[in-house]
Amino acid sequence: MKIAIAGTGYVGISNGILLAQNNEVVALDIVPEKVAMLNNKISPIEDKEISEYLATKKLNFRATLDKREAYEDAEYVIIATPTDYDPETNYFNTTLVESVIKDVLEINPETTIVIKSTVPVGYTQKINELFNTNNIIFSPEFLREGLALYDNLYPSRIIVGEKSKRAQIFANLLAEGAIKKDIDILLTDATEAEAIKLFSNTYLAMRVAYFNELDTYAQTHNLDTKQIIEGVGLDKRIGTHYNNPSFGYGGYCLPKDTKQLKANFENIPNSLISAIVEANSTRKNFIADSIIRKKPKRVGIYRLVMKSGSNNFRASAILDIMERIHAADIDVIIYEPEITDKSMFENFKVIKDIEAFKKSSDIVIANRFDSSLEDIKEKVYTRDIFNSDK
């Protein structure tokens, strides 16, 4: 069948490639350069499996700037546009989602629209009522940046927010493209599916915050963080996964999803949900203060990206940390090969030469340690205890 994808970020491209193994997929974007790259089998984002599949696999996949070419005759239209959190409204900005829905209903009103973008709890029901339709459903994604296609090929679960034949067909389409067999498929009501997404990511943020606060305690009392975490993790109910301390959770999903869930808890008794959001700020302040106390003249920021295999530093925890250090009248320089527009960081000197960067820095702070820093290990500040992003 023909399937359209609106948006070619991690979610859109990974779902598009997954489905294009067995279906005709047309991806729509408004950026000509991204469309050209995709049609030339080049990934516009850093993702090993996406690059590999585009280059080597037989896919019925193309990208376009033309809405009609994308939406006409499509049996499903997947919306994968950004929904950034707006702190003024305490709400996801769903303007782009609604713009796509409007276009789709004008061009192909009978198609099934599947929202993959993260939305507030209760959104799908409201948007169906707003557009006087019942053809909009929600299906949460559970993807990691840099591993988006991998996580679609080996999904933890597939959830679709409607108990219907068309929802089951869509779930089966996703499962058909996966390598993993016997995938757990759950059909739920729409609002419950939205809640699953936000509560899942908030739990992950809580786990990050927990091990970060454990590390803060250990640092404050001169204890060995690694020994404590290893001992805690031997309890199988806790486990030894997703336990590596960091400068704070960041990236595209966790900061905005936790804030949205906190906003959804307005007028509902809670302590934990609010604390998860506040804990991240506390951790970043602790890291910044730890650097400031060392009284360096110049601090080098090694990479802005949150993890290896990603080229996205949006909402990276280190951004707030370096602003705090800079505010203490300490010179801050950045090494980040992914920066293409230096005007984004006009208060900071961006250095592209790693050797010059290392030589110029009194202290180098790195959210994740890299072998390129081995020769200056004595002046690297990191909380990367297990040398892992997981």
Side-chain angles (χ1 to χ4, degrees):
M1 66 174 69
K2 180 182 176 183
I3 300 168
I5 310 272
T8 59
Y10 283 100
V11 177
I13 296 176
S14 61
N15 275 276
I17 291 173
L18 179 84
L19 294 164
Q21 296 174 97
N22 301 295
N23 304 277
E24 176 191 1
V25 175
V26 184
L28 177 73
D29 205 282
I30 59 172
V31 181
E33 292 79 10
K34 289 179 76 174
V35 169
M37 288 179 74
L38 287 166
N39 286 333
N40 286 316
K41 302 184 182 301
I42 300 169
S43 175
I45 58 177
E46 190 170 326
D47 186 296
K48 178 175 171 285
E49 282 75 22
I50 287 176
S51 296
E52 177 189 317
Y53 269 62
L54 280 172
T56 65
K57 300 291 183 181
K58 187 175 179 182
L59 303 172
N60 190 351
F61 177 89
R62 69 183 187 276
T64 183
L65 296 164
D66 187 335
K67 297 172 189 175
R68 190 164 292 278
E69 180 188 353
Y71 302 148
E72 214 163 48
D73 301 322
E75 293 190 43
Y76 289 91
V77 175
I78 297 173
I79 300 179
T81 55
T83 50
D84 295 326
Y85 181 78
D86 185 344
E88 296 294 321
T89 62
N90 289 329
Y91 201 77
F92 284 137
N93 184 347
T94 55
T95 305
L96 291 176
V97 173
E98 283 136 37
S99 177
V100 172
I101 292 171
K102 182 174 178 290
D103 289 340
V104 173
L105 291 177
E106 286 176 1
I107 295 169
N108 187 358
E110 299 306 313
T111 191
T112 299
I113 299 171
V114 182
I115 299 175
K116 278 281 183 184
S117 306
T118 305
V119 295
V121 177
Y123 179 80
T124 307
Q125 182 179 332
K126 289 177 184 175
I127 210 68
N128 270 298
E129 292 169 1
L130 179 66
F131 283 96
N132 193 28
T133 182
N134 64 356
N135 286 341
I136 305 168
I137 62 180
F138 176 74
S139 175
E141 53 82 14
F142 305 100
L143 310 177
R144 294 168 291 175
E145 287 185 22
L147 291 167
L149 181 53
Y150 180 91
D151 287 341
N152 262 318
L153 295 169
Y154 300 93
S156 58
R157 70 281 209 197
I158 294 171
I159 295 173
V160 185
E162 187 176 83
K163 297 176 180 179
S164 65
K165 182 180 178 182
R166 66 186 180 184
Q168 186 66 60
I169 291 170
F170 182 74
N172 292 344
L173 289 171
L174 297 176
E176 182 185 26
I179 294 172
K180 181 182 175 182
K181 303 302 177 189
D182 301 319
I183 301 163
D184 289 322
I185 294 176
L186 180 64
L187 303 185
T188 70
D189 294 328
T191 305
E192 281 74 5
E194 293 159 349
I196 287 167
K197 174 61 190 285
L198 293 186
F199 275 101
S200 294
N201 275 352
T202 301
Y203 178 85
L204 294 176
M206 178 186 70
R207 191 170 171 104
V208 172
Y210 174 84
F211 285 106
N212 281 345
E213 292 208 348
L214 183 158
D215 179 58
T216 295
Y217 181 89
Q219 278 188 273
T220 303
H221 291 282
N222 273 336
L223 303 177
D224 187 324
T225 297
K226 186 175 183 180
Q227 290 183 45
I228 300 171
I229 292 177
E230 285 178 340
V232 168
L234 289 175
D235 185 326
K236 286 184 169 53
R237 294 170 299 176
I238 299 170
T240 57
H241 62 284
Y242 212 61
N243 62 357
N244 195 22
S246 67
F247 292 163
Y249 59 78
Y252 182 59
C253 291
L254 298 192
K256 71 184 183 77
D257 289 5
T258 51
K259 289 173 184 173
Q260 179 61 67
L261 187 60
K262 179 184 174 184
N264 281 137
F265 262 86
E266 186 180 14
N267 301 322
I268 299 173
N270 80 95
S271 297
L272 180 59
I273 302 302
S274 297
I276 292 166
V277 175
E278 290 153 14
N280 209 39
S281 297
T282 301
R283 174 63 170 181
K284 288 184 283 189
N285 287 337
F286 174 81
I287 296 295
D289 289 342
S290 297
I291 300 300
I292 292 167
R293 276 196 299 271
K294 295 177 186 292
K295 298 183 179 178
K297 290 182 179 178
R298 176 175 286 169
V299 171
I301 307 295
Y302 178 79
R303 305 302 307 268
L304 302 180
V305 294
M306 286 297 296
K307 59 178 76 174
S308 58
S310 170
N311 59 355
N312 178 26
F313 43 81
R314 178 168 40 180
S316 177
I318 208 163
L319 296 175
D320 290 332
I321 293 167
M322 70 188 203
E323 289 284 358
R324 175 82 184 270
I325 294 169
H326 182 257
D329 292 324
I330 297 171
D331 189 25
V332 176
I333 61 175
I334 302 169
Y335 173 75
E336 178 50 77
E338 297 296 336
I339 293 177
T340 54
D341 181 6
K342 290 186 180 180
S343 66
M344 294 170 63
F345 301 97
E346 55 188 23
N347 292 326
F348 306 94
K349 184 178 180 182
V350 178
I351 298 177
K352 292 295 183 85
D353 184 319
I354 183 66
E355 296 305 321
F357 165 80
K358 291 190 288 189
K359 194 174 291 185
S360 300
S361 305
D362 296 325
I363 295 176
V364 171
I365 64 174
N367 186 53
R368 290 293 177 247
F369 190 78
D370 185 82
S371 59
S372 64
L373 301 174
E374 196 67 46
D375 60 329
I376 58 158
K377 197 169 186 178
E378 72 285 347
K379 65 176 182 180
V380 174
Y381 179 92
T382 184
R383 302 313 303 156
D384 184 10
I385 307 297
F386 297 104
N387 195 23
S388 169
D389 290 326
K390 298 178 176 64

